[in-house]
Amino acid sequence: MSRIRILFRTIFTEIIKILNFRVSVGAKITLPYGFLALIVSLGGAFLITQILISSIEQRFDNLLAETKEIAADFVVQEENQLLENLRLIGFLDGLDRLIQAENAENIREALLPIAYNNTLDFVSILNAEGISLLSLRRDLSNPIPRYVNERGSSAFVDIGAVRNVIDRRIDEKGDKFVELVSLGEEAYLIITGPVKDDSGNLNGVVVIGKAVRSLINEIRAQTLSQVTIYNFDGTILSSTLNEPPSIDSQIAAQIQANQDQETVNRSFSINDIGYKENLSMWEVRDRADFGVLGIASQTKYLTDTTVATRQNIFVLVTLTLFLILIVGITIARLITRPIHNLRDAALEVSAGNLQVYVDPLGDDEIALLTTTFNSMVQSLDASKKELVLAYDKTLEGWAKALELRDQETEGHTRRVTDLTLKLAKAYGIDGAELENIRRGALLHDMGKVGVSDNILLKPGRLTDEEFEEIKKHPVYASEMLSEISFLKDAIDIPYCHHEKWDGSGYPRGLKGEEIPLAARLFCIADVWDAITSDRPYRKAMSFDKAVEIIVDGKGTHFEPKIVDLFLKTLE
C-alpha cells in the first residue's frame, strides 16, 4: 500500500512539473478527496439507484400528505382572515346607526373600500331580522374585483349561522359562526357575526363569504396540486380538475368515520392522464367537518422520476464527487482560516471598525501575529476614544459658552439634552444614533453665534426684521457645522429643530416625516423646557398647563406619535 501511495504521489508531482503551475495548500488537501469521491461514487451508484427507485412511490405518497397539510393550514389561514375582516366591518364606526336607518347607499360606501382592499368574495349587512340591507357579491369571472349590489333578500333568515346570531347564541368559540351555503350558483364558506349598538343590543348581522371556487384555486396556486372539495355523499362541490370522478358514498362515510386515524388514497384517470388523490376531511372552525378535501397529483411523476433516475446516474455520480470535493475545500479553508480571519480583521480596521478582535487559534506563529494585531487594534481604539472624549468636552464647552452669552436660558441645554435622550431611548434609539442626538442637542442653538448681540440680548419685543434675523440661526448652525466631519451626523437638530409637523416652521418649511427624526424628538423637549422654566419676562408654567400646550400642538407643531410617547415618558 505504501508503494502505491509513493507511486501515486510521484505521478502527481511529475504532472504538476509538466504543467508548470503552483498548487496551493488548499488544492493539495482537496485533490485527494476528488479521487476518493470518484471511487465511492462508482462503487455506490448501483445501490443508491435501487434505494431511490424503491422509495419513489413512498415519497410521492408523503408529498401528497404534506400537500394536504399545507392545504389544511391554508384553509385555517383563510378562516382567520375572514374573521379579521368580519371584526373590521363589525366595528366600523357608525355602522349600527346606518343599519338602524336602513341607509343602503351609505352602507355600500362604507363596505366597498374594505371589500376591494381585502378582495372579499361576498359581504352582506342584514338587519336584526335577517333581511339583507345590502349585499356585495364579487364577479369571480373577472380578475379585477367588481361587485354586484343586492338588496332586500330574505334568503339569509333560514341559514343556521345567521339564525344563531339573530337568536343571540354563543358557543365555545364566541358569537361568530361558520357555515357552507349556496348563494345562487356559487358555494360559499361564510362567517357571521353581530353588529351591536352602544348599549350592546343586537342591531344587525355581518356576513362574510369566501367562494369555494376561489378557495381551491388559491390552494392550487400555493401547492401546485389539483384540489377538489366533495360533499359528504361524495358528490363534487368544486374542483380545479376538469370533470373529476365523484367518490363512492361508502368511501366518503369511511373517510369521515376514520378521519383521526388515517387518510385514503385513490387513483383515477382523466383524458388518459393518471392521478393519485389523497382524501381527508375538510375541517373548518375548531375541526368542524364541512366535506371531503381531495389533493391530487399526476402519477406521471412516478414513471418520469424512475426513468430520470436511471438516465441521470452520471449526474448522481458527479454530484457525489462535487459534495466530497466540497468537504475537502472546507477542510482546506479550516486550515487557512486564521490567515483569512486576520486579513478580514485588517480590512475592518481600515474601514474604521476598532472593535475587532481575532481569536488567536493555536500557539503557532500565526497565533502570535494575531495576538500582536489585537494589541495594536486595542491601542488604536483607546486613542480614538480619548480623541472623541476631547471632542465631546469641546462641544460641552461650546454649549456652556452659548448659555453664558444668553443668561436667560441658563441650564437649558443640559435639561433639554437629558430630556431628548430620555425620549429617544423610549423611542427605541440607541448606539451611535443616540450619541449623534446628544451632540446635536448640545449644539442646537450654535447658530445664535451668528446673531448680533443687539438682537439676541434685546430686552424688549423684537421687530419683524429682527425676528427674521433670529430665524436664520438654524442656517448659520448648518453652515458652521457642515464642514466638521465629526459632526456631520449630528447636524439634524441644530438645522431643523424649529421645523413644525404641519410645515409652518423654519428655516425650510419641512412637513411631516420630511423633518429628521432627531429634530422631531428634540423640538418637543425644547418647547417643554422653555415653558416649564422661569424666564425674566414670565414664570414657569404649571405641569398641567404645560401638558395642555404640548397636547394642543399635536398634529400641528409636533408629530402625534411622539407627543403620545412624550406624555408616557413624563408619567
Side-chain angles (χ1 to χ4, degrees):
M1 181 64 70
S2 61
R3 290 181 180 178
I4 295 175
R5 186 163 55 247
I6 293 172
L7 177 62
F8 175 79
R9 184 183 301 165
T10 302
I11 294 174
F12 181 74
T13 303
E14 291 300 321
I15 292 174
I16 296 302
K17 289 181 179 178
I18 293 173
L19 296 177
N20 192 25
F21 64 86
R22 182 173 60 87
V23 181
S24 66
V25 175
K28 291 178 181 178
I29 297 172
T30 304
L31 288 177
Y33 280 93
F35 290 100
L36 176 63
L38 183 61
I39 295 172
V40 172
S41 299
L42 292 175
F46 177 76
L47 179 61
I48 294 173
T49 302
Q50 294 302 314
I51 293 174
L52 287 175
I53 292 174
S54 62
S55 65
I56 285 173
E57 186 166 356
Q58 180 62 42
R59 288 191 289 119
F60 181 80
D61 291 341
N62 291 340
L63 178 63
L64 280 179
E66 291 174 3
T67 304
K68 184 263 293 184
E69 294 298 331
I70 293 173
D73 291 341
F74 182 83
V75 171
V76 173
Q77 295 172 13
E78 283 296 321
E79 179 190 357
N80 291 335
Q81 186 62 48
L82 286 175
L83 281 170
E84 288 183 12
N85 290 324
L86 183 72
R87 295 188 184 100
L88 178 63
I89 294 174
F91 287 105
L92 275 176
D93 186 31
L95 180 60
D96 57 334
R97 294 187 294 274
L98 295 177
I99 294 175
Q100 189 173 5
E102 298 188 353
N103 194 328
E105 185 57 34
N106 287 347
I107 293 175
R108 178 179 177 275
E109 291 179 0
L111 291 185
L112 266 181
I114 299 176
Y116 273 106
N117 291 336
N118 297 281
T119 321
L120 300 179
D121 288 345
F122 181 83
V123 57
S124 184
I125 302 297
L126 315 178
N127 62 19
E129 288 74 38
I131 305 302
S132 169
L133 300 178
L134 178 71
S135 297
L136 299 177
R137 189 196 307 266
R138 187 165 75 93
D139 181 3
L140 299 179
S141 62
N142 195 327
I144 300 175
R146 297 185 183 279
Y147 290 88
V148 178
N149 300 336
E150 299 172 353
R151 302 178 184 177
S153 174
S154 59
F156 297 94
V157 177
D158 297 326
I159 296 176
V162 174
R163 176 52 57 187
N164 286 339
V165 176
I166 294 175
D167 293 343
R168 297 168 178 77
R169 293 176 182 155
I170 298 178
D171 60 15
E172 64 276 4
K173 299 290 289 185
D175 57 0
K176 313 295 188 299
F177 300 92
V178 180
E179 189 169 341
L180 183 65
V181 300
S182 294
L183 301 175
E185 298 180 355
E186 200 73 46
Y188 289 85
L189 178 68
I190 66 167
I191 295 183
T192 63
V195 178
K196 298 179 180 179
D197 59 20
D198 295 338
S199 301
N201 299 317
L202 181 68
N203 200 275
V205 182
V206 179
V207 181
I208 299 286
K210 180 79 172 184
V212 175
R213 190 193 342 168
S214 299
L215 183 64
I216 63 173
N217 284 334
E218 292 175 8
I219 294 175
R220 170 156 173 69
Q222 188 174 68
T223 63
L224 303 180
S225 297
Q226 301 289 353
V227 184
T228 305
I229 291 181
Y230 304 88
N231 288 316
F232 287 109
D233 60 0
T235 59
I236 297 168
L237 182 62
S238 188
S239 177
T240 59
L241 285 166
N242 185 21
E243 298 181 358
S246 59
I247 307 172
D248 185 89
S249 58
Q250 293 181 349
I251 295 178
Q254 175 188 349
I255 294 170
Q256 186 173 15
N258 301 325
Q259 58 181 294
D260 294 329
Q261 286 78 35
E262 61 181 356
T263 58
V264 175
N265 291 335
R266 69 162 182 165
S267 298
F268 58 86
S269 295
I270 300 176
N271 297 328
D272 297 327
I273 299 177
Y275 290 89
K276 191 169 186 178
E277 185 178 39
N278 181 283
L279 299 169
S280 60
M281 292 308 298
W282 177 30
E283 297 177 340
V284 181
R285 187 69 170 171
D286 198 24
R287 303 196 66 182
D289 296 336
F290 274 51
V292 178
L293 174 66
I295 303 294
S297 290
Q298 294 185 21
T299 52
K300 186 174 181 290
Y301 164 83
L302 296 175
T303 56
D304 287 351
T305 304
T306 303
V307 172
T309 301
R310 291 177 176 151
Q311 292 178 343
N312 296 321
I313 186 62
F314 175 74
V315 175
L316 177 61
V317 172
T318 303
L319 288 176
T320 305
L321 175 62
F322 175 76
L323 290 175
I324 297 181
L325 285 175
I326 289 295
V327 173
I329 293 172
T330 302
I331 293 177
R333 287 180 176 177
L334 289 175
I335 294 174
T336 58
R337 185 176 63 181
I339 299 174
H340 293 164
N341 289 345
L342 203 56
R343 178 203 62 190
D344 294 341
L347 292 175
E348 286 284 328
V349 171
S350 66
N353 181 10
L354 297 180
Q355 303 302 315
V356 173
Y357 176 81
V358 184
D359 190 10
L361 303 174
D363 56 358
D364 54 14
E365 292 84 351
I366 298 177
L368 179 60
L369 178 62
T370 301
T371 301
T372 305
F373 175 84
N374 288 335
S375 298
M376 179 193 69
V377 173
Q378 289 172 2
S379 298
L380 290 174
D381 187 41
S383 298
K384 179 183 177 181
K385 288 179 178 177
E386 291 176 1
L387 184 61
V388 171
L389 180 61
Y391 282 159
D392 284 339
K393 290 297 183 183
T394 301
L395 298 184
E396 292 174 5
W398 288 356
K400 186 63 178 177
L402 287 173
E403 286 195 348
L404 291 175
R405 184 187 182 207
D406 184 6
Q407 296 183 2
E408 289 186 1
T409 58
E410 183 177 1
H412 167 72
T413 299
R414 175 183 54 79
R415 293 192 303 271
V416 78
T417 299
D418 292 343
L419 186 55
T420 302
L421 290 177
K422 184 176 181 181
L423 183 59
K425 290 176 183 177
Y427 196 90
I429 298 174
D430 57 12
E433 187 177 358
L434 188 65
E435 185 61 25
N436 288 327
I437 289 177
R438 185 184 73 83
R439 292 169 182 154
L442 283 173
L443 300 176
H444 72 278
D445 275 340
M446 189 66 190
K448 289 184 178 179
V449 171
V451 179
S452 168
D453 286 349
N454 295 332
I455 297 176
L456 186 65
L457 304 179
K458 182 178 179 179
R461 182 181 181 86
L462 296 177
T463 65
D464 291 344
E465 292 77 8
E466 290 171 336
F467 184 64
E468 289 300 319
E469 180 63 24
I470 283 285
K471 289 168 63 176
K472 293 179 181 179
H473 77 271
V475 178
Y476 295 154
S478 175
E479 293 172 351
M480 295 170 61
L481 302 177
S482 60
E483 299 300 323
I484 304 175
S485 59
F486 177 70
L487 298 174
K488 67 179 182 178
D489 294 326
I491 203 169
D492 287 342
I493 291 178
Y495 192 23
C496 303
H497 67 285
H498 282 296
E499 302 288 355
K500 295 184 179 181
W501 183 253
D502 61 1
S504 63
Y506 64 88
R508 292 186 289 166
L510 300 181
K511 182 178 182 180
E513 294 187 359
E514 294 176 352
I515 306 171
L517 175 60
R520 303 202 305 266
L521 292 167
F522 176 84
C523 72
I524 190 170
D526 190 30
V527 171
W528 175 265
D529 187 76
I531 61 180
T532 57
S533 301
D534 288 332
R535 295 294 169 88
Y537 51 86
R538 62 157 174 79
K539 289 291 185 180
M541 296 182 183
S542 67
F543 181 87
D544 292 339
K545 181 61 178 178
V547 168
E548 181 181 346
I549 291 176
I550 295 297
V551 172
D552 286 344
K554 184 176 182 180
T556 55
H557 194 157
F558 313 116
E559 178 180 354
K561 182 171 67 174
I562 295 179
V563 171
D564 295 337
L565 180 62
F566 179 76
L567 295 178
K568 289 182 180 179
T569 303
L570 290 181
E571 294 173 1

